[in-house]
Amino acid sequence: MNPTNPFKKRKPHDVPVEDALSSVFDDPAVGEMMRRMTDAPKQSSKLDMTRLSADIERKMEELKNAYIDFATRYGLGGGQPKKWVNNTFEFRPDGVRVEGNLVLDYCEMNELPPQLVSVGGYMTIAGNNLSSLKGMPRTVGGYLDIGSNPLETLEGLPSKIGGQFFPQKIPAKKMPTGIDISNYIYINQDQTELIDSARAGGYTVKIHTPLN
């Protein structure tokens, strides 16, 4: 919703962060590690537990480094990407969480950071080059703004949005059903098909009429 980008400097990027990370927490090896961690009380070897813990810590460190690379490439953090990542994200074996707000608007990104599970506050990704919502968290505690992106589909939205939802100035015409939105959907007057779809899905819609 912020019309300006506080972080205008960015480095060019070629390889998506998620590809560079190679889906750290999706690979079978980590699943096996977690299974073994669950079964660990049945094992007598403390050394094995230590090795498992070290492996998981290494995977989480790789994920954190991928986030630092993401922040650096898109000019996030006001020139201090590592500090921004450390202050914003919590890295856990089951994914990445944000306790407060997540502001990723107007930074020209065409991908979302990997393995994001939840955002406790509001989240804005407006004014970017996103053509997909792949990588969205499962839940957002506050409002969600995805406006001014070339999104032709809204598949991949969080299952729960704790505030308003702003899909303005996007080409998508269909609103997915079954999304738990605690407040209204705010749509521009000329997005008639999206308005009709949202209403048909039982959502509360507010229409924005531009001032002449």
Side-chain angles (χ1 to χ4, degrees):
M1 297 180 68
N2 186 350
T4 61
N5 175 14
F7 310 116
K8 291 185 178 180
K9 297 183 70 176
R10 63 185 291 267
K11 295 183 179 181
H13 77 99
D14 300 309
V15 181
V17 172
E18 188 170 10
D19 291 346
L21 183 63
S22 299
S23 301
V24 167
F25 285 94
D26 287 335
D27 67 68
V30 174
E32 175 64 14
M33 281 192 289
M34 296 305 296
R35 184 192 67 76
R36 291 171 63 194
M37 286 288 285
T38 302
D39 295 341
K42 303 175 184 178
Q43 302 172 8
S44 59
S45 173
K46 292 183 178 180
L47 178 60
D48 191 48
M49 281 288 291
T50 301
R51 288 173 177 169
L52 290 172
S53 178
D55 284 343
I56 292 175
E57 287 181 9
R58 177 178 57 82
K59 293 290 186 181
M60 286 192 290
E61 188 64 25
E62 290 178 9
L63 184 56
K64 179 183 288 189
N65 288 336
Y67 266 68
I68 293 171
D69 180 59
F70 178 90
T72 300
R73 291 179 178 186
Y74 291 112
L76 300 166
Q80 301 184 67
K82 185 174 182 180
K83 181 179 180 180
W84 178 74
V85 167
N86 288 334
N87 291 341
T88 304
F89 302 96
E90 182 179 355
F91 297 89
R92 301 182 183 181
D94 63 341
V96 183
R97 301 173 187 271
V98 177
E99 183 176 347
N101 305 321
L102 183 58
V103 179
L104 300 174
D105 56 355
Y106 297 94
C107 60
E108 301 180 20
M109 67 179 182
N110 54 22
E111 60 180 325
L112 290 168
Q115 309 293 336
L116 191 58
V117 174
S118 66
V119 173
Y122 66 77
M123 179 177 180
T124 172
I125 56 174
N128 286 299
N129 300 319
L130 295 169
S131 59
S132 168
L133 292 176
K134 180 182 179 181
M136 286 292 287
R138 293 193 288 268
T139 61
V140 173
Y143 72 77
L144 173 62
D145 187 354
I146 65 167
S148 299
N149 277 288
L151 292 163
E152 296 187 358
T153 175
L154 294 179
E155 294 300 325
L157 279 173
S159 59
K160 180 175 178 58
I161 300 171
Q164 304 96 327
F165 174 46
F166 298 91
Q168 297 163 283
K169 296 182 180 180
I170 63 171
K173 298 178 180 179
K174 184 177 180 180
M175 180 66 195
T177 58
I179 308 296
D180 183 359
I181 301 176
S182 299
N183 214 306
Y184 56 81
I185 303 176
Y186 199 58
I187 310 176
N188 281 356
Q189 184 181 32
D190 59 354
Q191 295 174 270
T192 55
E193 291 181 80
L194 186 59
I195 290 171
D196 291 343
S197 176
R199 284 175 169 167
Y203 298 104
T204 301
V205 176
K206 283 194 175 184
I207 300 174
H208 172 64
T209 303
L211 297 175
N212 293 327

